[in-house]
Amino acid sequence: MLSKVRNRPYFFTPQPSNPSYPLFVFIPGMDETGKELMSIQTVGLEAAFNVRCFVIPPDNLTSWDKMTEELASLTQTELEIVPQSLVYLCAESFGSCLALKVLEKFPRLFTKVILINSASSFHRVFLLNLGSLLFPYTPQFFYKISSFLSLPFLANLSRISPAASQALLKSTHSAPKETANQRLSLMRQFNIDENKLSQISQPVLLIASKDDRLLPSEAEAQRLSNIFPNSQIITLPNSGHACLVQNDVNLYQILLSANFLIT
């Protein structure tokens, strides 16, 4: 049984921007609740968007359905404050699973969709599933140092700044073990109605890191492209799983190069 939720998810605004710009909703990865890290990941987007980052507090242990409702409600509230006809949904890793759930239930809420190194493949990766099942038995002292050990799997450390490295480490270390275990369980149980997703006509941009050491992101991008009828794939040749923290990766520039901005 899930623990009582003490804090609800909320939107964080990383950079001041023009409220008349299109709304850009960003859903970070499983451990990335740190505002410093989200500010690094979304830097530059304020030039064209009104950015909101979806923050799931570390003690929030709700289900996929509840998180889906929370995200949709927060988005709709933003649109009531400043009505917009253009709304982007962008998500990475664990966040991409939530984005897929949102698209399944609210297919017309977003104008364009961006999925980065989607973790929707997690439940099909045997070793990750096995590790998630064994995770509850991990000693607490080992869990505390695991964030240090996981960094090389998350990012190409030679391509990130010291500040980004510290922000990534701080973020992965922020969640209590109970929270990490619950979110791993969500990943293991993740499922989606592909028939419903195949009805999504909006443009979908799938970004995949070629050097992802955590998940088969390239293969998953290809699989998702076969579901979404209006999709394109961009492969990042020298990037790890947490690609948005790298010095040479800028999401705004990627969207420009993919002609994914609405003018």
Side-chain angles (χ1 to χ4, degrees):
M1 183 152 182
L2 296 179
S3 299
K4 181 182 178 181
V5 176
R6 295 183 290 277
N7 291 307
R8 296 178 61 179
Y10 61 92
F11 274 165
F12 160 62
T13 304
Q15 310 285 345
S17 59
N18 190 328
S20 66
Y21 288 169
L23 182 63
F24 189 100
V25 176
F26 177 72
I27 314 176
M30 183 175 74
D31 296 320
E32 294 169 19
T33 57
K35 295 179 180 179
E36 294 173 40
L37 188 62
M38 284 186 278
S39 296
I40 292 172
Q41 292 169 311
T42 59
V43 67
L45 290 171
E46 68 276 5
F49 300 104
N50 192 15
V51 181
R52 297 291 183 273
C53 297
F54 186 64
V55 179
I56 307 172
D59 59 355
N60 186 298
L61 305 181
T62 48
S63 64
W64 284 122
D65 287 343
K66 183 61 176 175
M67 283 191 288
T68 297
E69 294 286 347
E70 294 275 12
L71 179 66
S73 177
L74 287 168
T75 302
Q76 289 162 344
T77 297
E78 289 288 335
L79 296 177
E80 289 171 3
I81 297 171
V82 182
Q84 284 289 339
S85 58
L86 306 176
V87 188
Y88 280 61
L89 176 63
C90 177
E92 66 156 1
S93 192
F94 174 89
S96 293
C97 294
L98 178 55
L100 292 170
K101 287 286 189 181
V102 172
L103 292 173
E104 180 184 39
K105 195 162 187 177
F106 302 93
R108 307 308 305 173
L109 186 56
F110 297 93
T111 312
K112 289 197 173 188
V113 179
I114 305 140
L115 302 178
I116 306 166
N117 292 333
S118 177
S120 47
S121 62
F122 183 97
H123 63 293
R124 294 191 299 274
V125 180
F126 173 76
L127 289 178
L128 290 178
N129 273 272
L130 178 62
S132 70
L133 288 169
L134 296 176
F135 182 82
Y137 307 101
T138 304
Q140 185 65 30
F141 79 90
F142 184 78
Y143 174 66
K144 287 183 177 296
I145 67 170
S146 63
S147 56
F148 293 95
L149 301 176
S150 66
L151 282 183
F153 293 93
L154 290 174
N156 187 332
L157 298 182
S158 66
R159 293 177 177 269
I160 66 176
S161 68
S165 180
Q166 285 299 314
L168 183 60
L169 179 61
K170 180 179 178 181
S171 182
T172 58
H173 195 64
S174 64
K177 184 181 176 183
E178 180 187 13
T179 304
N181 183 53
Q182 188 263 349
R183 293 184 186 173
L184 286 171
S185 296
L186 288 178
M187 298 285 283
R188 193 169 61 247
Q189 299 159 8
F190 176 79
N191 64 83
I192 203 76
D193 188 334
E194 295 184 4
N195 288 328
K196 287 185 177 180
L197 292 183
S198 68
Q199 303 304 310
I200 300 291
S201 60
Q202 299 96 305
V204 177
L205 180 64
L206 302 163
I207 301 174
S209 293
K210 191 174 184 63
D211 289 343
D212 193 332
R213 298 179 181 178
L214 190 64
L215 290 167
S217 291
E218 274 193 291
E220 184 64 5
Q222 186 59 57
R223 190 186 75 85
L224 291 172
S225 74
N226 293 330
I227 297 173
F228 292 110
N230 186 11
S231 63
Q232 62 175 306
I233 297 175
I234 286 185
T235 301
L236 305 178
N238 301 305
S239 296
H241 186 70
C243 59
L244 296 183
V245 301
Q246 290 189 195
N247 298 326
D248 55 350
V249 175
N250 180 274
L251 183 54
Y252 178 68
Q253 294 300 323
I254 291 174
L255 299 183
L256 277 175
S257 65
N259 295 316
F260 215 67
L261 298 180
I262 298 175
T263 57

